[in-house]
Amino acid sequence: MFGKLTIEALPLYSAIAATGALVTVGGGFIVFVVVTWLKAWKYLWTEWLTSVDHKRIGVMYIVLALIMLMRGFVDAIMMRAQQAMALNNGGYLPPEHFDQIFSSHGTIMIIFMAMPFMTGLMNIAVPLQIGTRDVAFPFLNSLSLWLTSAGAALVMVSLVIGKFSTAGWTGYPPYSGIEANPGVGVDYWIWALLISGVGSTLSGINFIVTILKRRAPGMGLMRMTPFTWTALCASVLMAFAFPALTVACGLLALDRLLGMHFFTNELGGNMMNYPNLFWIWGHPEVYILILPAFGVFSEVVSTFSRKRLFGYESLVYATAAIAILSFTVWLHHFFTMGSSANVNAFFGVTTMIIAVPTGVKVFNWLLTMYRGRITFHPSMLWTVGFIVTFVIGGMTGVLLAMPPADFLMHNTTFLVAHFHNMIIPGVLFGYLAGYMYWFPKAFGFKMNEPWGTAAFWFWMIGFYLAFMPLYVLGFMGMPRRMEQYNDPTWQPWLIAASMGAVLILIGIACLVIQLAVSIRDRRKLVDVTGDPYDGRTLEWATSSPPPPYNFAVLPEVRDREPLVDMKERGVVYQPPRAYEDIEIPKNSAAGVVLGGLAFVLGFAMVWQIWWLVILCGVAMWVTLVLRASDDESEFILSAAEVERIEVARYRALRNQNGRRR
Amino acid sequence: MNANVTAMPSDHEPESDIHEQRALGFWLYLMGDAVIFGLLFMTYGIMVGNTAGGPSGKTLFSLNNAALETVLLLVSSTTFGFASLASKAGSRSAVLSWLLLTFVLGAGFVFLEIREFSGMIGAGAGPDRSGFLSAFFTLVGTHGTHVSVGLIWILIMSGQVLFKGLTVPVVSRLFRLGLFWHFLDIAWVGIFSVVYLPGLL
């Protein structure tokens, strides 16, 4: 009846695992109680969960990302604490538990923190920047969100029911094979990735079509904002790289479920094919995450230096070059696997080449700041911190790109330090910059700046303290993922690294306080204009938060910085002569229902509850077919209603200006 | 054309734009699917020799069966083409008949494939026998699953043509179904030339 699921699945084997489960269940329970107490279920359902509005979907993506950031960080600080104390003793975490933690840390941070954060920022900013009323496929957008959430929920549930994978976030066989890993952990990992991977593929397709087909009149490709360009390139990578992850995880699932021999050690299996398939997705994935962050930095640096971006064309071409090159470097993740010297040399050279367009961008940002009138908004601090730190990580990357050097550093903490040195400043700092930059657009009030600045400094200093020691440890020969060790010269460095993690913890606390303080002071921080930074691009031309239709009249673009151009021509914030009816997609419960069914389907696959798998599969089919056959998925917002919303906005604007005078 | 679909205020996004966007989105999905097939072909290519002492394609495959499958699928693509032409001409009954014929041919293909698979599994050459057979069943089975999904989709679209008529959204869905069906043909040509022909010759 319940497949492999028994009462044994509860995490009573260790006090720490049981605490983790309690925190997860307790957190969910508290949210449930608070929403019920506020009588907010109906509001939540009609205004948010079933919404197909890209701005709301974007906000929900970022909420998911921030929750998963907390979870992933708890994993991180637990690992740092374990390694700081586990010299010649077992520390406080048994190996089985430690292995789950490093596996879930990587999985969560890449797939369920960075991906939703990026997709969330794209959702909030891209349609506004290209001057359209919605994405090309609003319902698919909602479906993507809920499939991603279903994957994240599977990872969270593994804390409470059963265990998570112990095979690392990359899930290499034979560790992830059924012989070495007979439990359900790897299955949780596989189904979380498969389900959310479908969501990411659909997001990629959605944004390619949105950007290529729905730009405002006059916005040629070379008038798109840098963020839109990077979002386009990242979307192309998403649409074409995620299928490779689907194949890698799917074949691994077939090995585990049906006893096939793709990656086994016997009967003709070839486990070296797995890293190939995985990294054909995995390397483009790095650029999927990092390109939109580059886009954010470009927007921020231009806005807060009050200058046009230096070398826009070169930045666009560099972005496209990185996107193409990203498919040609995957083998550098396994130089030591035994390819010939010539093959390794080829991938080493392509890896070094990819540093060139990235270097071009660094000069774009530096020269934009040169002689600019810089405002040190927290977003700008994240940007400057990124430039400095990322260059260091880039240099260690070029070092690792040399196969002979890689043979020495492979699988050591040097590598761990390197990719954190790329991904924390290159991805996370970028997304946090974007979060603070576009927050007023999404909610109509600015974020508290002092707490944002404090968060930046704790993250920045904490990052250096946490990861520079890992470079040193790598040179000293410390392998990654060690639960305990017996070399006393390592311990001081590991203690230093754990102090860095504590600083980052304070940085995260500052982010939470910043959000709370900003919400408390929302009246003081209110932004009526919709343009709090004297912005340069179209998202600042509409109100904050934008109305459901974004623009009452679609803007006409005459310049690469349309808002600067409109301000110079004096045509900005002018009520149009007449309003028109606007077509708006209706809310749909199908997205959240399909997400819920996908979650149950994944859970049933993990525990091999076959009747439930079939039931969910059929229910998903029926929901999808019903939704796909719906010919009336839109409603008309009348011109009178649009006029009412817009007139209120212009009145507020006039009042504000009157008070200023 | 259905009246309430065309009766839209003129200053709105034209219906044709929306369907153009959907077509582009569907093309992108197909290209992603092509990546999946490409990687499965690649995996098959590196595992074709890994028979682990078990049977190889030479003893397992039947040229007659594969040729018949090919004929059924290619002809079904042609009949789908006629269904598309009939939808442009606005002839509901012709569309339905061609769709029905396509369905029958596709179902015949799936039947032959299931018969081939069950015969192999019965002879002890199932997907868990060797790396080669894992790769074979997964590649060919993925294609067969796609065809089966296509069959269900054909049924759904036949129902829509029957009950909604050839409205703009229905015709645009038929167009995307056509892309899907022809794409599966191309994938099959790949399977026939990469799996069956070299396996037998």
Side-chain angles (χ1 to χ4, degrees), chain A residues 374-397:
Chain A
I374 300 177
T375 319
F376 282 101
H377 183 273
S379 296
M380 193 64 189
L381 291 176
W382 293 111
T383 306
V384 177
F386 148 78
I387 294 174
V388 174
T389 315
F390 191 78
V391 170
I392 298 171
M395 286 192 292
T396 63

Side-chain angles (χ1 to χ4, degrees), chain A residues 133-344:
Chain A
R133 286 183 178 145
D134 211 326
V135 295
F137 312 118
F139 166 69
L140 270 193
N141 203 14
S142 156
L143 180 60
S144 293
L145 165 71
W146 291 112
L147 290 178
T148 307
S149 308
L154 274 179
V155 177
M156 295 305 276
V157 158
S158 76
L159 265 183
V160 184
I161 305 172
K163 291 176 179 169
F164 193 65
S165 170
T166 53
W169 83 277
T170 50
Y172 276 16
Y175 309 121
S176 56
I178 195 78
E179 275 179 27
N181 227 323
V184 293
V186 177
D187 299 306
Y188 267 122
W189 177 82
I190 287 174
W191 289 99
L193 260 60
L194 279 178
I195 291 172
S196 65
V198 174
S200 299
T201 311
L202 295 178
S203 287
I205 292 172
N206 208 342
F207 276 93
I208 298 174
V209 178
T210 304
I211 295 171
L212 290 183
K213 290 282 181 190
R214 295 181 65 92
R215 298 190 306 279
M219 182 175 279
L221 284 173
M222 289 313 258
R223 283 182 183 170
M224 300 196 313
T225 64
F227 181 69
T228 302
W229 258 111
T230 56
L232 176 63
C233 291
S235 301
V236 172
L237 295 182
M238 270 153 91
F240 295 115
F242 267 87
L245 179 68
T246 306
V247 172
C249 289
L251 299 188
L252 187 61
L254 289 172
D255 269 9
R256 291 177 60 86
L257 276 171
L258 302 180
M260 292 199 191
H261 295 286
F262 284 107
F263 312 124
T264 58
N265 204 16
E266 31 145 42
L267 292 178
N270 182 345
M271 62 182 75
M272 291 199 285
N273 191 26
Y274 179 89
N276 264 301
L277 292 171
F278 185 85
W279 288 110
I280 287 173
W281 161 76
H283 203 85
E285 166 68 8
V286 176
Y287 291 97
I288 291 171
L289 297 177
I290 226 159
L291 287 177
F294 286 174
V296 174
F297 293 131
S298 308
E299 303 286 326
V300 165
V301 96
S302 163
T303 302
F304 293 112
S305 303
R306 314 190 62 72
K307 273 177 68 185
R308 267 173 109 94
L309 186 75
F310 179 87
Y312 168 85
E313 280 87 1
S314 65
L315 187 115
V316 169
Y317 286 120
T319 304
I322 291 174
I324 292 165
L325 285 171
S326 76
F327 276 109
T328 65
V329 301
W330 81 90
L331 194 129
H332 72 213
H333 294 270
F334 43 94
F335 277 146
T336 59
M337 198 172 79
S339 304
S340 72
N342 285 340
V343 171
N344 276 358

Side-chain angles (χ1 to χ4, degrees), chain A residues 133 135-137 201 204-205 208-209 212-214 239-241 243-247 251 254-255 258-263 266-270 273 276-277 280 580-583 621 625 627-634 636, chain B residues 4-5 8-9 11-13 18 20-26 28-29 31-33 35-37 39-40 42-43 46-47 50-52 127-135 137-138 149 152-153 156 160 164 167 169-170 173:
Chain A
R133 286 183 178 145
V135 295
F137 312 118
T201 311
I205 292 172
I208 298 174
V209 178
L212 290 183
K213 290 282 181 190
R214 295 181 65 92
F240 295 115
L245 179 68
T246 306
V247 172
L251 299 188
L254 289 172
D255 269 9
L258 302 180
M260 292 199 191
H261 295 286
F262 284 107
F263 312 124
E266 31 145 42
L267 292 178
N270 182 345
N273 191 26
N276 264 301
L277 292 171
I280 287 173
E580 56 181 21
D581 290 350
I582 295 175
E583 217 174 82
W621 254 101
V625 168
R627 167 70 209 189
S629 313
D630 184 2
D631 291 339
E632 273 137 35
S633 56
E634 281 158 342
I636 303 283
Chain B
N4 61 22
V5 177
M8 299 260 254
D11 49 346
H12 287 301
E13 194 172 2
I18 294 170
E20 200 184 303
Q21 288 170 23
R22 290 184 183 162
L24 175 62
F26 199 77
L28 290 167
Y29 152 72
M31 294 303 101
D33 225 6
V35 172
I36 290 185
F37 275 110
L39 293 172
L40 291 178
M42 185 270 288
T43 302
I46 60 173
M47 299 191 94
N50 300 4
T51 50
D128 53 352
R129 174 62 190 85
S130 67
F132 155 67
L133 283 166
S134 303
F137 274 94
T138 306
V149 169
I152 299 175
W153 194 358
I156 293 166
Q160 291 197 4
K164 297 186 178 189
T167 62
V170 170
R173 281 173 205 140

Side-chain angles (χ1 to χ4, degrees), chain A residues 47 98 108 130 148 343 399 421 461 507 526 548:
Chain A
E47 294 292 316
F98 184 79
I108 287 176
I130 63 174
T148 307
V343 171
L399 194 63
N421 199 341
I461 297 168
V526 74

Side-chain angles (χ1 to χ4, degrees), chain B residues 123-192:
Chain B
D128 53 352
R129 174 62 190 85
S130 67
F132 155 67
L133 283 166
S134 303
F136 166 79
F137 274 94
T138 306
L139 171 60
V140 181
T142 302
H143 177 266
T145 311
H146 275 75
V147 175
S148 310
V149 169
L151 289 178
I152 299 175
W153 194 358
I154 288 177
L155 285 185
I156 293 166
M157 287 318 299
S158 305
Q160 291 197 4
V161 173
L162 198 59
F163 292 109
K164 297 186 178 189
L166 293 171
T167 62
V168 174
V170 170
V171 170
S172 118
R173 281 173 205 140
L174 268 179
F175 171 73
R176 293 192 291 276
L177 172 57
L179 289 180
F180 185 73
W181 199 253
H182 299 312
F183 168 75
L184 294 181
D185 234 23
I186 296 171
W188 178 259
V189 170
I191 289 176
F192 187 74

